[in-house]
Amino acid sequence: MGSHVSTGALLREVARLHVQLQRNCVAYCRGTTSTQCNVLTELGRSGPVTLAELSRRVGLDKGWTSRAVEQLVQEGLVEKVASTRDRRTVQLSLSAAGEERLAELSGTLNDLAEQTFEHIPAAQHEMVRSSLELLQQALQTLTTEAETTDNADQGGAACGCE
């Protein structure tokens, strides 16, 4: 990709390649699907949540999320506990084995990042890291703005479709 490529196209391609490598690594090294990896990661980040909240956080419909969760429950990685506030609601959380699997997955993905940096000149590492921090902050700001928008019609503002 040359310098004539737009920033948007470059960012999409970086994200696509990174996600593709992550999927391949977690499937090959840990026998975990990308959906399962996303569920474990989100439960590790958020703590106990309902299926509906987990679905919203991972960006999948409840059916897909439910199937992934059921597989993880069968493997002993996720636990379902009745909510203390509403007995009809179930809270999903990582089991001890789930926390261990998440630590293994994080290690695998961190190793992937280290391997990636091996293909970048050492003198550029700090610049790349600093750029990634700025990008992460900007994306988090857009995400927060989209989540705090009360009017659904304004939710597309970050997407450029006002």
Side-chain angles (χ1 to χ4, degrees), residues 63-147:
W64 278 102
T65 306
S66 178
R67 285 187 283 283
V69 165
E70 284 308 314
Q71 182 64 40
L72 293 167
V73 168
Q74 294 299 315
E75 292 180 35
L77 302 175
V78 170
E79 298 174 337
K80 292 180 175 181
V81 178
S83 172
T84 55
R85 285 181 270 173
D86 181 353
R87 287 283 184 207
R88 298 169 296 174
T89 305
V90 174
Q91 295 282 316
L92 304 170
S93 61
L94 291 178
S95 66
E99 289 178 13
E100 188 175 309
R101 174 73 66 86
L102 179 57
E104 291 169 359
L105 289 167
S106 293
T108 297
L109 296 175
N110 288 342
D111 289 347
L112 174 62
E114 292 301 320
Q115 290 175 37
T116 302
F117 262 64
E118 289 175 10
H119 296 279
I120 297 171
Q124 302 293 312
H125 286 192
E126 188 53 43
M127 182 204 55
V128 171
R129 181 169 172 72
S130 176
S131 297
L132 288 171
E133 288 173 350
L134 289 170
L135 183 59
Q136 187 241 357
Q137 291 168 5
L139 291 169
Q140 185 59 54
T141 298
L142 282 175
T143 300
T144 302
E145 288 173 358
E147 288 173 351

